């Protein structure tokens, strides 16, 4: 992954920086983006990918660029500490616990979302980095392990 400055605008003590971001993968896929960084916030202005990104890949795009953008801005490494350039379908996804420990995380996220009135499936997707289908599979495994109540019977 490469990050290079496009331009910077200063207003008094505040500065807004625009950065070009390019992710090139071993399979020939490429993502180009323009991101702005201002007062510790990152906004993605434009994204172009070849081939087109799947929705689940677009959802984790921020994870892919977080660490390299932080380093480019002098803020050190991101939480994952990697460069975000993996080779799988979910190229930059951080490792999550698997098996019973992972199912407990899924159940906890699911119940927490229910309590705050949010969509529990989206909460599990966000916590695990999986697509909707993957999150539903994990929720099913947590149910099978007895960590979540059974689904309502269909009629």
């Amino acid at each position: 992954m490469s990050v290079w400055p496009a331009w910077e605008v200063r207003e008094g003590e505040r500065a807004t920086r625009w950065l070009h971001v390019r992710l090139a993968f071993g399979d020939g896929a490429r993502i180009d983006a323009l991101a702005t960084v201002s007062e510790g916030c990152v906004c993605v202005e434009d994204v172009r990918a070849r081939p087109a990104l799947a929705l689940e890949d677009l959802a984790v795009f921020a994870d892919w660029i977080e660490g390299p953008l932080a380093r480019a801005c002098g803020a050190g490494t991101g939480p994952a500490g990697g460069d975000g350039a993996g080779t799988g379908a979910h190229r930059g996804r951080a490792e999550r616990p698997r098996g019973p420990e992972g199912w407990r995380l899924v159940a906890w996220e699911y119940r927490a979302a229910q309590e705050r009135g949010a969509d529990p499936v989206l909460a599990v997707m966000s916590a695990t980095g999986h697509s909707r289908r993957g999150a539903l599979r994990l929720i099913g495994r947590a149910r099978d392990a007895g960590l979540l109540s059974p689904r309502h019977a269909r009629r």
Side-chain angles (χ1 to χ4, degrees), residues 50-129:
R50 195 159 290 190
L53 290 173
L55 281 177
E56 58 265 13
D57 288 337
L58 186 57
V60 297
F61 179 67
D63 294 335
W64 296 346
I65 65 173
E66 180 180 21
L69 279 176
R71 285 189 296 277
C73 296
T77 60
D83 66 359
T87 58
H90 300 282
R91 292 175 174 102
R93 185 179 356 173
E95 270 308 305
R96 303 284 186 226
R98 295 177 182 233
E101 186 178 328
W103 301 332
R104 280 192 284 282
L105 168 71
V106 167
W108 186 87
E109 290 289 343
Y110 189 95
R111 284 191 299 269
Q114 279 183 322
E115 288 173 9
R116 37 174 217 274
D119 184 340
V121 177
L122 288 177
V124 171
M125 288 170 61
S126 177
T128 63

Side-chain angles (χ1 to χ4, degrees), residues 33-60:
L34 180 65
T36 61
V37 179
S38 178
E39 297 180 356
C41 295
V42 175
C43 294
V44 177
E45 300 288 331
D46 185 39
V47 177
R48 294 175 190 232
R50 195 159 290 190
L53 290 173
L55 281 177
E56 58 265 13
D57 288 337
L58 186 57
V60 297

